[in-house]
């Protein structure tokens, strides 16, 4: 990596109190910021006399070899459970043999009689031009890996040592335009408690390494290196992607205490893992897990979830150049269902578009990146109905896998009855097709819908007669009901789960579902907030689905609650006029009823 320079100047309007990025590695940390601005290491352009050319080629080859040695050393240091990181380093080692990078640089040195740095910069810019012409954002993102590798070679050519990422004694959160996967691995050596970057996405290799290390991380915050300055204090939430700037001392205390408690109470929480999730008076609430990959299954089982309340199936579509085929998907879903059996697994059909940006497969039109308002555009179920071949292939794979466990299929962003009926028509056709082809299908596959737009809430009584279950998606429901773009940093402070309108919509959905005897779950971030969970339980939700590691915390709280108290508390919240009132009422009630450590943090 090029030598980072700590940046101490901040250019941030004081009104900005929070930033919103993409949470790519969960965990909440409060710490001081260290901003890194990369120094450009490109040496000047100079011509060389003919007799020095071969020496220059040798110097370049030496830097390439040294870069390879560095990567190999790093690889050796890695623990065996960091398989993802190992394969990323291997791909970087391969790039050090890439023709377009290495041979092209040598060619430029020889034909233009220029120094290695200049030749490498030209080769890199030619590669970038090619990548820029690619529509596919996933492939375009791979250029960042080539750049990280080239930066390493630039550093070696200039003879600069890697500076430590931080020499601080106190815990820090690193901020930069981008970090390479190798930078992220090196963060283990420093006192780094999290990082945030301007570039990157959920599928970037840097994000993958952060998740393997359990290092909280947020990416995609534009201008982060200008908005923040070394010495700022922030709270970073690697799950929700939210950054709180200059947090109140009470909030910092809350995060720190909760981190300390997390460590201290890990043993105590372990004792809840195998207990039933029910209130003191035997009122059950199912606690399930939200996951995106099969790799998370061991964690789900370790923390005692009683099923998967939300399997976000998008990642298979992001990680491949082609849409995954039916066989691949069926194998994935079979493993998912079989591992979790006899617990239920709720697979949401792909929720592409909107904030889960996607326009990559051949044949797809370039319309998605031209949408003016993607959150209100061709996303989720609308996209599935537009690209029906892909949708049918996923449904076929799901039904084929259904015989291996207990499958529930969840449809995202349903906003009108006609839309739901169209999907049900497709499901019937797919089932007929599979029967005709002799594929066995489980007879008890439940079909449910996400309730995440206000029209679905208003019509919940009608929808309840048409589906087997409801799953309330508050992440989107808050966005659409309060008109707050969930990914927009300028309005992030208005994104308010405790808004009484949101609470009332949840309650209305639960009542509509129960009137028709269908179960209602909630799988937005709210479900895993220990402050919120009691209110949600009091509203009568049958299931809360959250990140797997939070399950024991919520279970412990639940097992100390009395269902009457929870119902009374929820009833009071529903009468509140604004979020501040909800919060203070909640804080008061919980403080009266339970020990603080049960619901804080
Ligand atoms: C939601 O909207 O609450 C939800 C769970 O879906 P996602 O966050 O994947 O949009
Ligand atoms: Mg959603």
């Amino acid at each position: 990596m090029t030598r980072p320079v700590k940046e101490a100047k901040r250019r941030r309007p004081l009104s900005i109190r929070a930033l919103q990025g993409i949470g790519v590695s969960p965990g909440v940390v409060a710490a001081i910021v260290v901003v890194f601005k990369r120094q450009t290491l490109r040496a000047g352009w100079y011509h060389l006399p003919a007799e020095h050319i071969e020496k220059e080629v040798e110097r370049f080859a030496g830097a390439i070899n040294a870069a390879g040695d560095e990567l190999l050393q790093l690889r050796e240091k890695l623990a065996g459970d960091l398989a993802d990181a190992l394969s990323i380093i291997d791909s970087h080692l391969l790039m050090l043999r890439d023709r377009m990078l290495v041979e092209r640089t040598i060619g430029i040195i020889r034909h233009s009689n220029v120094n290695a740095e200049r030749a490498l910069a030209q080769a890199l810019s030619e590669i970038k031009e090619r990548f820029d012409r690619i529509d596919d954002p996933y492939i375009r993102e791979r250029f960042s890996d080539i750049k990280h590798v080239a930066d390493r070679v630039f550093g070696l050519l200039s003879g600069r040592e890697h500076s430590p990422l931080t020499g601080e004694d106190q815990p820090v959160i690193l901020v930069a335009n981008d970090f390479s996967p190798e930078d992220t691995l090196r963060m283990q050596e420093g006192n780094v408690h999290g990082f945030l970057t301007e570039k990157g996405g959920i599928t970037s290799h840097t994000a993958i390494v952060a998740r393997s290390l359990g290092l909280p991380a947020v990416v995609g915050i534009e201008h982060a290196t200008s908005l923040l300055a070394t010495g700022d204090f922030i709270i970073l939430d690697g799950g929700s992607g939210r950054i709180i700037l200059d947090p109140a001392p009470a909030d910092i205390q809350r995060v720190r205490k909760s981190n300390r408690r997390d460590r201290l109470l890990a043993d105590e929480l372990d004792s809840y893992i195998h207990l039933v999730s029910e209130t003191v008076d035997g009122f059950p609430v199912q606690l399930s897990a939200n996951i995106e990959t099969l790799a998370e299954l061991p964690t789900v089982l370790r923390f005692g979830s009683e099923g998967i309340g939300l399997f976000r199936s998008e990642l298979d579509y992001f990680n491949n150049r082609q849409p995954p085929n039916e066989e691949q998907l069926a194998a994935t879903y079979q493993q998912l269902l079989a591992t979790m059996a006899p617990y239920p697994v709720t697979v949401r059909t792909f929720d592409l578009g909107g904030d889960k940006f996607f326009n990559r497969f051949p044949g797809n039109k370039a319309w998605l990146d031209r949408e003016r308002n993607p959150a209100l555009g061709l996303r989720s179920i609308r996209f599935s109905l537009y690209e029906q071949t892909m949708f049918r292939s996923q449904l076929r794979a799901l039904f084929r896998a259904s015989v291996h466990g207990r499958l529930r299929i969840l449809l995202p962003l349903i906003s009108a009855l006609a839309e739901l009926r169209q999907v049900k028509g497709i499901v019937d056709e797919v089932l007929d097709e599979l029967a005709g082809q002799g594929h066995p299908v489980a007879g008890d596959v439940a079909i449910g819908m996400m309730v995440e737009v206000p029209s679905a809430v208003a019509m919940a009584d009608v929808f309840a007669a048409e589906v087997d279950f409801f799953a309330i998606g508050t992440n989107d429901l808050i966005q659409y009901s309060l008109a707050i773009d969930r990914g927009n940093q300028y309005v992030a402070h208005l994104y308010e789960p405790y808004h009484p309108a949101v609470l009332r919509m949840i309650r209305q959905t639960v009542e509509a579902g129960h009137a028709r005897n269908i179960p209602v779950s909630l799988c937005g971030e709210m479900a895993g907030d220990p402050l919120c969970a009691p209110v949600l339980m009091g509203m009568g939700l049958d299931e809360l689905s959250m990140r797997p590691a939070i399950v024991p915390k919520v279970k412990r709280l639940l097992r100390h609650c009395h269902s009457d108290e929870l119902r009374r508390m929820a009833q009071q919240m529903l009468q509140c006029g604004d979020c501040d009132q909800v919060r203070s009422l909640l804080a008061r009630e919980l403080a009266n009823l339970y020990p603080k450590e049960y619901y804080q943090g």
Side-chain angles (χ1 to χ4, degrees):
M1 125 180 198
T2 53
R3 176 182 287 255
V5 173
K6 291 179 191 175
E7 170 73 16
K9 272 190 282 130
R10 168 200 350 202
R11 289 185 290 277
R12 177 176 89 227
L14 284 172
S15 57
I16 297 188
R17 308 291 307 278
L19 303 173
Q20 186 64 48
I22 306 164
V24 292
S25 182
V28 185
V29 280
I32 206 159
V33 159
V34 173
V35 177
F36 287 86
K37 290 243 168 163
R38 285 164 197 276
Q39 267 181 351
T40 304
L41 287 177
R42 316 284 188 266
W45 174 1
Y46 49 92
H47 277 281
L48 297 165
E51 63 273 23
H52 286 176
I53 293 297
E54 285 316 304
K55 264 216 146 60
E56 190 64 1
V57 170
E58 268 173 42
R59 189 169 78 89
F60 175 65
I64 290 281
N65 288 338
D69 288 346
E70 279 182 3
L71 289 176
L72 284 170
Q73 273 170 24
L74 195 62
R75 198 181 186 289
E76 272 164 26
K77 277 200 233 159
L78 285 184
D81 58 347
L82 290 175
D84 286 338
L86 279 178
S87 66
I88 291 164
I89 294 186
D90 286 345
S91 72
H92 285 192
L93 277 162
L94 278 177
M95 282 173 200
L96 283 171
R97 283 190 244 138
D98 187 86
R99 217 170 31 84
M100 271 157 57
L101 192 73
V102 180
E103 285 177 28
R104 179 70 187 133
T105 302
I106 293 174
I108 297 168
I109 298 174
R110 286 195 174 127
H111 294 116
S112 308
N113 289 13
V114 291
N115 58 319
E117 289 90 336
R118 164 66 205 170
L120 178 57
Q122 186 178 326
L124 190 64
S125 97
E126 289 171 6
I127 296 173
K128 181 162 188 318
E129 256 175 47
R130 289 188 185 201
F131 272 80
D132 282 348
R133 284 199 296 268
I134 298 173
D135 271 345
D136 176 342
Y138 178 77
I139 305 284
R140 265 205 320 264
E141 193 173 283
R142 301 277 77 85
F143 176 74
S144 68
D145 284 286
I146 300 176
K147 180 153 184 318
H148 291 144
V149 168
D151 276 344
R152 178 173 291 275
V153 179
F154 276 122
L156 285 155
L157 283 170
S158 70
R160 285 178 204 243
E161 293 293 317
H162 280 316
S163 60
L165 277 172
T166 164
E168 320 288 330
D169 297 332
Q170 57 185 328
V172 292
I173 294 171
L174 299 187
V175 177
N177 175 258
D178 197 8
F179 287 113
S180 72
E182 288 84 9
D183 293 338
T184 310
L185 284 165
R186 287 175 54 224
M187 288 179 197
Q188 289 178 103
E189 295 157 15
N191 208 349
V192 180
H193 283 214
F195 70 85
L196 77 91
T197 62
E198 296 172 336
K199 291 230 161 99
I202 186 112
T203 60
S204 73
H205 283 156
T206 300
I208 291 170
V209 172
R211 283 197 288 277
S212 319
L213 295 176
L215 189 66
V218 173
V219 304
I221 298 195
E222 253 183 79
H223 312 303
T225 57
S226 314
L227 293 169
L228 293 164
T230 294
D232 278 351
F233 203 93
I234 62 171
I235 294 178
L236 173 149
D237 184 337
S240 67
R242 196 172 163 88
I243 308 292
I244 310 284
L245 311 170
D246 301 326
D251 290 334
I252 300 171
Q253 276 303 95
R254 200 157 87 88
V255 172
R256 289 208 170 133
K257 261 193 178 162
S258 127
N259 288 166
R260 265 200 306 277
R261 259 197 329 268
D262 280 356
R263 287 190 292 274
L264 286 174
L265 291 182
D267 284 350
E268 197 221 314
L269 286 176
D270 273 359
S271 65
Y272 284 86
I273 286 173
H274 301 292
L275 299 179
V276 182
S277 53
E278 59 182 20
T279 55
V280 182
D281 53 328
F283 183 82
V285 177
Q286 184 171 332
L287 301 182
S288 323
N290 289 355
I291 61 167
E292 296 176 34
T293 61
L294 295 181
E296 292 166 272
L297 286 174
T299 324
V300 172
L301 297 170
R302 197 174 115 230
F303 288 109
S305 297
E306 294 151 339
I308 306 291
L310 174 63
F311 180 79
R312 290 181 165 102
S313 66
E314 294 79 57
L315 225 55
D316 273 326
Y317 295 82
F318 285 126
N319 279 347
N320 299 301
R321 180 144 174 57
Q322 297 290 331
N325 64 37
E326 185 182 319
E327 296 308 316
Q328 290 164 333
L329 289 174
T332 301
Y333 301 147
Q334 171 175 339
Q335 198 182 333
L336 176 64
L337 287 160
T339 310
M340 288 307 298
Y343 293 122
V345 174
T346 310
V347 179
R348 181 177 67 191
T349 58
F350 53 75
D351 184 15
L352 298 166
D355 59 324
K356 298 161 188 105
F357 183 78
F358 162 91
N359 77 337
R360 158 160 57 86
F361 297 145
N364 274 353
K365 314 35 180 186
W367 32 253
L368 271 183
D369 49 358
R370 287 208 305 266
E371 282 194 309
R372 286 257 174 108
N373 212 338
L376 304 182
L378 193 62
R379 64 162 292 203
S380 301
I381 204 69
R382 303 161 185 185
F383 178 75
S384 305
L385 291 172
Y386 189 86
E387 288 288 336
Q388 281 194 26
T389 312
M390 259 167 71
F391 187 43
R392 282 171 192 267
S393 150
Q394 186 182 32
L395 288 173
R396 283 177 58 92
L398 282 166
F399 281 114
R400 281 176 53 190
S402 65
V403 287
H404 298 279
R406 278 177 63 197
L407 173 65
R408 310 197 317 163
I409 297 178
L410 178 59
L411 307 167
L413 210 83
I414 296 287
S415 60
L417 190 58
E419 198 173 43
L420 176 66
R421 292 211 170 130
Q422 192 184 350
V423 175
K424 284 168 75 178
I426 294 175
V427 166
D428 288 342
E429 284 168 23
V430 164
L431 284 171
D432 284 349
E433 225 171 68
L434 289 171
Q437 292 162 352
H439 287 291
V441 168
D444 60 352
V445 177
I447 309 273
M449 62 178 262
M450 300 271 309
V451 176
E452 49 186 351
V453 292
S455 63
V457 178
M459 302 298 289
D461 54 334
V462 175
F463 282 120
E466 302 264 341
V467 290
D468 300 316
F469 66 97
F470 280 154
I472 305 177
T474 40
N475 301 344
D476 275 315
L477 187 57
I478 297 168
Q479 149 164 281
Y480 292 120
S481 54
L482 305 184
I484 305 298
D485 177 350
R486 64 193 260 187
N488 183 330
Q489 69 197 48
Y490 298 104
V491 289
H493 60 289
L494 299 173
Y495 189 90
E496 188 43 86
Y498 293 99
H499 197 297
V502 174
L503 300 181
R504 287 180 186 207
M505 282 195 256
I506 294 171
R507 179 67 192 148
Q508 189 180 336
T509 308
V510 173
E511 279 174 353
H514 288 179
R516 282 277 176 178
N517 282 324
I518 64 165
V520 184
S521 70
L522 192 146
C523 55
E525 283 298 306
M526 269 175 100
D529 176 349
L531 259 182
C532 240
V535 182
L536 298 174
M537 295 172 202
M539 286 194 191
L541 280 145
D542 303 285
E543 177 183 351
L544 299 180
S545 193
M546 60 202 76
R547 275 177 274 131
I550 308 176
V551 167
K553 264 192 195 172
V554 176
K555 197 191 283 183
R556 179 179 60 174
L557 175 59
L558 173 67
R559 287 185 60 89
H560 288 86
C561 292
H562 200 287
S563 63
D564 287 342
E565 286 294 350
L566 297 181
R567 275 193 283 272
R568 186 187 53 76
M569 224 158 67
Q571 214 41 53
Q572 278 181 290
M573 306 297 149
L574 289 164
Q575 305 310 318
C576 290
D578 65 26
C579 0
D580 289 342
Q581 222 184 326
V582 173
R583 277 180 205 285
S584 52
L585 190 64
L586 189 57
R588 228 180 19 248
E589 285 284 336
L590 290 174
N592 279 341
L593 292 170
Y594 311 109
K596 265 195 203 145
E597 65 266 26
Y598 285 4
Y599 57 87
Q600 282 192 343

